[in-house]
Amino acid sequence: MAVTFKGNAVTLMGSQVKAGDKAPNFTVLANDLSEVTLDDTKGSVRLISVVPSIDTGVCDAQTRRFNEEAAKLDNVKVLTVSVDLPFAQKRWCGAHGIENVQTLSDHRDLSFGEAYGVAIKELRLLARSVFVINSNDEVTYAEYVSEVTDHPNYEAAIEAAKAAN
C-alpha cells in the first residue's frame, strides 16, 4: 500500500495486517512506563487508533473523537498508539479531559509499528491507521490512511468495533 506524508511517499516498515489475520502481539508503554501487550486486553474487543503525534491537529481530533465514542461502546477498549513519550501523552490527556481512551507509547522500539506495518522509516513516526481486534485476537478491521495528514473513516471503525462484540 502506498502511503504519503504531506504528499511525499514514505516507507512503512513491518508487515501490514488485514481483516481475518491473527492480531500480532506487541509491547508498548503506558503513561506510567509499565509495559502493555495485546494480551493485557485479552477477552475484549480492541479499537486501536494509531496517530503520528498526539499534539497535532488531526491526531488531536482523532483521539478526541474516539474518546467520545468509547463512552458509548460496550466491552470495547479504545487504545491510542503513537511514538510520543508517555509523559507527553499523559500531560495531553490531562489537559484535554481524555478519560475513555488509553494512550500508549511505541517510542522505545517501534514494536507496535513494525508488527502492524505502520512504522514510517523516514520519520520514525507511526502512519495514521485504525484496527479493530475481536475478543479472539482476530483483526476484523484495518484501515491504513493513504495520506498520513488525512482523517481515518471514523464511522467504519466504530461500526466494526460494534460488530466485533
Side-chain angles (χ1 to χ4, degrees), residues 4 35 39 43 45 50-51 69 88 91-92 114 130 137 144 157:
T4 58
E35 290 187 346
D39 290 342
V45 172
V50 183
V51 298
E69 297 294 341
R91 182 177 58 249
W92 184 89
E114 291 183 0
V130 182
D137 291 343
Y144 293 84

Side-chain angles (χ1 to χ4, degrees), residues 46-51 58-73 76-81 92 98-103 128-132 141 143 145 151-161:
R46 280 73 40 109
L47 186 155
I48 303 176
S49 170
V50 183
V51 298
V58 177
C59 300
D60 176 295
Q62 181 174 333
T63 305
R64 287 176 190 262
R65 173 71 186 271
F66 284 127
N67 182 66
E68 289 170 19
E69 297 294 341
K72 305 173 200 170
L73 296 171
V76 177
K77 295 195 181 308
V78 181
L79 312 173
T80 292
V81 180
W92 184 89
I98 304 298
E99 298 175 349
N100 302 316
V101 169
Q102 181 180 12
T103 53
R128 188 173 319 283
S129 48
V130 182
F131 304 94
V132 174
Y141 177 85
E143 178 189 8
V145 180
H151 288 269
N153 186 335
Y154 298 108
E155 291 74 21
I158 293 158
E159 288 308 312

